[in-house]
Amino acid sequence: MYRLDEALQVVYGEEAADGKQLIICNEIDKDIISLIKVLQDTVACYTFSILTSGCLTLCYDGRVYHLTAGDLYIHSPEVPYEMLEATEDFRAYLFVVDLSLALSPEIMQGVSNYIGMRLSVPRLPLPPDVAARIADLMCLAIHYYRSDLPFRDRTLRELLHLMLLEITSLKEPPVVVSRFSPRVEDIFLRFLRLLSQSWLEHRDLAFYADSLCISTTYLSRLVRRVSGRTVQDFINSLLLIEASRLLLHTSLSVAQIADRLHFAETSSFVRFFQRMRGVSPTRYREQNSL
């Protein structure tokens, strides 16, 4: 997986790659949904979309959801999904945020910690007034994103923070979570930030526990308590996303992909992929090739 600024040139073209850009804002329609999927398969990012017209059907983590105007769709980077169908009049505002920025203290200040967790549902039907405010924020963000104003990046981050505060203030949050202590939330978010930077080089629990100055037992229990998942689950999800991206969007051989992902042997990578996807890497590439 790549940072958003590293992938912009590949997905959107050379002119879009402008330094350390960690946010994309745009208005999308049916014709560019496939391009957005390529982006989300390539980059560790969160995606926020509010539908302004039409309908969208997608499969998220094995369940089918139907979105209509006024719905907010939140995509987490580690969750498998597939866009199934969009009506001709489908339109939406889009906010794509690099994982490192989405989990930064700057953005998370005052915001519920659910942003770092697997969402129970990706679809949030919003009250009309909230939908209007979020749509206005996204529309304003698109204006600044397309501008060359010197304070553009800072403004985009502030607009992102305002949008997250709006979502956090909903009476029915997108996940059902217990209230955790500030220390637990801080450790969990620091773990996710560290994971986004180190998952390829470090897959051992001890590295993350040592980096956070806590025991492996405490980190395991904390991550499972907060997210319902293990540390290894998080690492395996990122490995699977990157392996799938390399199989579909590069001509690298299975052996070369295994080496790039630091598997000791190609057979180990094949067994891992087969266990996670249910098919071999070669078969997955054949089934999904255009």
Side-chain angles (χ1 to χ4, degrees):
M1 301 291 283
Y2 297 97
R3 280 167 55 108
L4 186 54
D5 57 310
E6 296 170 337
L8 278 172
Q9 183 171 359
V10 175
V11 177
Y12 279 98
E14 185 173 355
E15 292 182 359
D18 58 348
K20 298 295 184 180
Q21 181 63 51
L22 300 179
I23 295 176
I24 289 178
C25 303
N26 212 337
E27 186 172 10
I28 61 173
D29 57 25
K30 180 181 179 181
D31 294 335
I32 62 173
I33 285 181
S34 60
L35 192 62
I36 299 303
K37 188 179 189 315
V38 171
L39 178 66
Q40 292 177 156
D41 288 344
T42 304
V43 182
C45 61
Y46 283 92
T47 302
F48 303 86
S49 305
I50 187 164
L51 274 68
T52 56
S53 67
C55 301
L56 174 67
T57 302
L58 55 87
C59 181
Y60 181 93
D61 203 17
R63 296 183 61 185
V64 174
Y65 295 90
H66 303 283
L67 287 76
T68 58
D71 287 347
L72 181 70
Y73 167 59
I74 305 178
H75 173 78
S76 299
E78 77 280 2
V79 181
Y81 77 106
E82 181 181 1
M83 301 289 189
L84 299 178
E85 184 180 4
T87 58
E88 290 296 331
D89 60 341
F90 167 77
R91 298 288 187 280
Y93 293 141
L94 178 75
F95 218 130
V96 183
V97 187
D98 187 87
L99 181 67
S100 64
L101 177 60
L103 299 177
S104 67
E106 165 192 12
I107 298 300
M108 291 302 301
Q109 183 179 8
V111 176
S112 168
N113 66 359
Y114 72 77
I115 187 66
M117 304 176 193
R118 177 188 288 267
L119 303 179
S120 60
V121 292
R123 171 183 174 266
L124 292 180
L126 301 174
D129 59 329
V130 177
R133 286 197 298 271
I134 290 180
D136 287 345
L137 287 172
M138 287 195 178
C139 187
L140 186 59
I142 292 170
H143 166 75
Y144 279 100
Y145 179 76
R146 293 173 176 172
S147 76
D148 57 358
L149 296 170
F151 49 86
R152 182 191 71 165
D153 290 354
R154 181 65 204 176
T155 302
L156 288 174
R157 295 181 186 214
E158 294 293 343
L159 290 171
L160 169 63
H161 190 225
L162 287 172
M163 182 183 70
L164 293 177
L165 289 173
E166 282 281 358
I167 297 170
T168 299
S169 67
L170 292 173
K171 293 182 180 179
E172 297 183 4
V175 291
V176 179
V177 298
S178 302
R179 289 297 178 183
F180 304 109
S181 69
R183 171 174 164 76
V184 167
E185 292 187 3
D186 177 66
I187 291 175
F188 181 70
L189 290 174
R190 286 195 289 126
F191 160 70
L192 288 178
R193 287 194 288 269
L194 181 62
L195 181 70
S196 70
Q197 301 163 0
S198 309
W199 64 270
L200 184 57
E201 300 292 336
H202 299 283
R203 303 180 196 172
D204 55 309
L205 177 64
F207 167 79
Y208 296 97
D210 290 344
S211 299
L212 297 170
C213 301
I214 58 178
S215 70
T216 54
T217 301
Y218 183 68
L219 178 60
S220 295
R221 290 176 178 172
L222 184 149
V223 170
R224 182 179 286 277
R225 179 188 170 204
V226 172
S227 68
R229 307 171 66 198
T230 67
V231 172
Q232 195 60 55
D233 286 340
F234 278 97
I235 295 172
N236 286 347
S237 293
L238 290 170
L239 275 171
L240 182 63
I241 291 172
E242 178 65 355
S244 302
R245 184 193 72 82
L246 292 171
L247 286 166
L248 296 183
H249 303 298
T250 75
S251 59
L252 294 174
S253 68
V254 172
Q256 288 172 321
I257 293 173
D259 182 66
R260 178 171 291 195
L261 296 180
H262 298 176
F263 281 86
E265 299 176 351
T266 302
S267 58
S268 299
F269 168 66
V270 172
R271 286 195 298 271
F272 165 81
F273 196 91
Q274 178 86 38
R275 174 169 57 86
M276 297 293 290
R277 282 286 189 202
V279 295
S280 69
T282 301
R283 182 62 177 158
Y284 178 79
R285 176 175 268 171
E286 291 172 350
Q287 290 176 339
N288 294 276
S289 59
L290 297 178

